[in-house]
Structure formats: structure tokens, C-alpha cells
Amino acid sequence: MSNSVDQVNSGEKVKIPALSLQKTERQGRGTLNIPFDPEYTAGAINAVRVCLRVHPQEQVCVITDEATVEIAAAIVAELEKLGAPYHAWVLEELAARPLTDLPREIVDDLEKSEVSIFAVQAQANELRSRIQMTDVVNRRKIRHAHMVNINRQIMLEGMRADFEKVDRLSAKVIAMVRKARRVRATTAAGTDLTADLNPNYKWMKTSGIISPEKWGNLPGGEIFTTPGEVNGTFVIDGVVGDYLCAKFGNLQGNPLTVRMKGNRLTEVYSENCELESDFWKYTHTDENSDRVGEFAIGTNIDLKEVIGQILQDEKYPGVHIAFGNPYGAHTGADWDSTTHIDVVGRKFNIWVDDEQIMREGKFLVEA
């Protein structure tokens, strides 16, 4: 059953068709009455109509979990208004968490979908199942919204961004770096690193406007590549990614400092010994877990501060890098890793070759 705009804006929680596996004969989709906060509606509209540009005839696969079902409900409500056919899946109804593999029911549904939405909370050791999902997404060129660790704050902040404006800025910045040989980044906190770029590796734009060529995180707002080589120091006073993000949160008061030489992690230091140990272990899971697989510039200029959530914070204006999987299917990198962990800092100065494009976290490029 569809919800009207008047219902959504009434200030009361709205009930939508549920996300259980039971299906009605009429609709062929799950039904469960889940109330959701109407404050989620603006972000859900952005996701469905602006970022994914779902058409009424397109099949959509929605994947969520028990912790995120209310946000998924808001998104499903927008699909209902649009009239797009969908199937919605709650992970815990299909398999035990953490997942060892992506459930077969979801794989089969992805094989028949043009659009997919993954709104869940990350758990340790689930990257394998997410890679299985994105393998299908990449092969079938599904327009896929990746919303790992999406929460209320992100729905009310990052998901309300002007993604058309973010896309314009992203296009300008990516045009500059595609012609560059190196990018240098510094911060007052002590970051000083240089990324030498490999002309054989592609730069990708994930600005929030999602195309069949590259699935994207929502909220969006970044450009990235696999670097040729990164050297220097990165003071991580923002956040670290994957499941360590939920464990350690905002690192502004107790940063993690990493050093890289020849594109490999060589040193890690933090006064938080548990953070230091966990990060070192994560980045030594396999032979390439300590290798810089991603060099990125956040372009979501509607974000004003780091909040301690990697899904949003890696879009915060500045540089972030990731150790591990280089997304070679998109960048052209010819190596791989079973892990991928992003690290984010604050208030960068950035030079593309000799041209400064950011000062103290503010772009010098007009959107």
C-alpha cells in the first residue's frame, strides 16, 4: 500500500509494507507493518529519485537487517509511491550474522534486478559477503546504493545533500586529477603525504548520482583511484572504517598516526593501544591488506563536520585513503585483497601537481 505525501509529512510515524519474506499474491513482495520516522523521508526521496533515479518499471532489490529496518522502510515507501516492483530482504531472516556468504535468495534476486539498495549495519568478518554482492552488481551493471552503517544522523544530514551540486564539483575536481602526476596533502595535525599517480589506473566519480558504470555509497561525494604509490604520514583524526568505526568512533581527541613507504603501511601509533593493535591486525590479514588500494578526495560540500561514521565521513571534503582491496574492476589495478579499510582526516590542504585546490578543508574550486 502506498503512503501519500500528506501522511509522510504529518509528523507521525508511517506504516509501510514490511520486509519479511512472506509475499502477497497480488504484489509478489514482502509485507510487514513497520512504522518509520517521517524525518527519513527527505533522504529516502533523494536515494530513490535523485541518486538512483529509479523508473517505475525497474525491478529493485532492497537488502537490510533488523537494526536498519526502519530506514529501509522509508526507502521502500518511496518505491511504493513510485510504483516500482521490488523485493526486500532482512538478513537475519535468511542466515546467521555475521554472514559467511551472501544468501542465495539475495543473489538470485540481484540477478533479476536493475537497481539494488544495501542498508545494513556492518559486522566483523562480513566483507566477503559484501564482495560477493558487488561482484554480481559489477557484472550486471546494477545501479547499486551501498549504505553500510546508515543511521538516523546520516539520513538527516548527508542524505539531504544537494547531490546535483556535489556532482558538479566532483566533475571539476576529477577533470583536474585525471591530468595530474601527483597529489600532495597536508594538515595542521601533522599529515604530510604524496600520492604519485599511475596513468594506467582510472579515476572514478561516486558523487551520489549512481550510474550502471559504478555502484556508489550513499550518501555520495567522492572521487577515487588506486594510487601508483603513496609515501608519507597520515594523522587520522577523523575515523577508521569497516567494523572498527563502530568500535572506536570519532578519533579527534585521540588520533591514529600511520606512515607509508612504497605504498605499504610501515608504522602505526596511537595512545589508544587497542585501536593501534586492532588496526595493525586488520591491515595484516593478507599479503595486500597493508597496501594503499585507494586514494580519494571527498567532495560532499554539504557536510560540515566529521561525525564518527565512515559512510558519511569519507565524503567529508578532504583526502582519505584505504588499505587493501583497490576495486580493481573499476580502477584497473591488477592486484587484490580480502580487506578494505578507509581512514579519514580533517581540514586538508591539497595540491594537484602545483595547483592548490583546497585550503584548511575548503575547496578553492567552485561547484
Side-chain angles (χ1 to χ4, degrees):
M1 181 179 293
S2 298
N3 295 304
S4 71
V5 174
D6 289 340
Q7 285 177 307
V8 170
N9 292 333
S10 67
E12 299 179 357
K13 287 199 171 185
V14 181
K15 297 213 169 190
I16 66 146
L19 307 178
S20 79
L21 299 182
Q22 297 180 350
K23 298 183 175 64
T24 66
E25 290 182 2
R26 180 178 66 83
Q27 295 178 317
R29 58 181 71 167
T31 56
L32 173 73
N33 290 324
I34 295 264
F36 66 86
D37 188 335
E39 290 286 343
Y40 291 158
T41 299
I45 290 172
N46 244 352
V48 171
R49 298 179 182 267
V50 178
C51 299
L52 287 165
R53 300 182 180 181
V54 179
H55 298 292
Q57 72 277 12
E58 290 184 307
Q59 180 71 36
V60 184
C61 175
V62 180
I63 307 160
T64 191
D65 60 9
E66 291 174 350
T68 322
V69 70
E70 187 177 346
I71 291 172
I75 293 170
V76 164
E78 293 309 310
L79 295 173
E80 283 281 336
K81 291 179 197 175
L82 192 64
Y86 67 87
H87 293 111
W89 309 92
V90 178
L91 291 177
E92 287 85 355
E93 295 182 4
L94 299 176
R97 303 285 300 279
L99 297 178
T100 54
D101 291 286
L102 191 67
R104 172 50 57 183
E105 296 93 333
I106 294 175
V107 174
D108 291 344
D109 194 32
L110 285 169
E111 292 286 358
K112 297 177 289 186
S113 298
E114 285 83 35
V115 179
S116 56
I117 300 163
F118 185 67
V120 305
Q121 302 305 302
Q123 293 194 16
N125 303 315
E126 285 195 334
L127 185 60
R128 169 186 165 91
S129 64
R130 297 202 296 272
I131 290 175
Q132 291 171 342
M133 176 180 61
T134 56
D135 282 347
V136 180
V137 167
N138 292 338
R139 174 170 51 79
R140 296 203 60 252
K141 295 188 179 297
I142 298 171
R143 301 200 309 283
H144 173 77
H146 210 60
M147 306 174 77
V148 177
N149 292 332
I150 188 74
N151 64 13
R152 175 182 171 78
Q153 184 175 10
I154 298 172
M155 285 295 289
L156 271 56
E157 293 180 9
M159 280 308 301
R160 292 186 175 185
D162 180 347
F163 289 110
E164 299 284 0
K165 185 176 182 180
V166 172
D167 187 63
R168 290 195 300 272
L169 174 64
S170 302
K172 288 185 177 181
V173 177
I174 203 170
M176 298 173 71
V177 295
R178 279 174 172 162
K179 297 182 291 185
R181 293 175 299 166
R182 66 178 55 88
V183 178
R184 184 183 176 215
T186 68
T187 68
T191 295
D192 191 344
L193 60 85
T194 300
D196 291 301
L197 305 176
N198 185 332
N200 296 319
Y201 294 161
K202 296 179 182 178
W203 279 91
M204 304 299 299
K205 175 169 65 74
T206 55
S207 61
I209 307 300
I210 297 173
S211 72
E213 281 66 47
K214 177 66 180 79
W215 58 267
N217 289 331
L218 287 186
E222 68 174 306
I223 63 169
F224 72 91
T225 189
T226 300
E229 186 173 300
V230 174
N231 293 281
T233 300
F234 196 126
V235 178
I236 307 161
D237 55 358
V239 289
V240 297
D242 206 343
Y243 62 90
L244 296 185
C245 183
K247 184 174 182 179
F248 296 105
N250 193 327
L251 302 181
Q252 186 172 24
N254 197 0
L256 176 72
T257 299
V258 300
R259 292 187 173 85
M260 297 146 288
K261 185 175 181 180
N263 218 46
R264 296 279 184 171
L265 182 67
T266 59
E267 295 180 54
V268 175
Y269 172 75
S270 175
E271 291 184 1
N272 183 335
C273 296
E274 187 176 12
L275 170 60
E276 179 183 308
S277 175
D278 284 2
F279 189 83
W280 185 261
K281 289 177 183 176
Y282 187 106
T283 53
H284 288 81
T285 303
D286 64 40
E287 64 178 354
N288 283 323
S289 293
D290 66 344
R291 192 171 176 178
V292 183
E294 177 186 354
F295 182 88
I297 299 175
T299 56
N300 192 327
I301 48 180
D302 283 339
L303 301 179
K304 306 307 179 187
E305 189 51 86
V306 172
I307 65 171
Q309 295 286 344
I310 191 65
L311 176 64
Q312 177 166 301
D313 290 338
E314 67 174 357
K315 316 310 184 313
Y316 177 74
V319 163
H320 67 272
I321 63 174
F323 296 94
N325 193 300
Y327 298 137
H330 302 290
T331 66
D334 58 359
W335 55 276
D336 203 0
S337 173
T338 59
T339 63
H340 181 95
I341 188 164
D342 295 274
V343 299
V344 177
R346 303 168 187 260
K347 296 185 177 180
F348 279 87
N349 307 297
I350 303 174
W351 292 264
V352 176
D353 285 337
D354 296 324
E355 181 177 357
Q356 188 169 7
I357 67 166
M358 178 176 283
R359 181 181 297 118
E360 290 294 313
K362 303 294 183 183
F363 274 105
L364 305 179
V365 180
E366 292 290 333

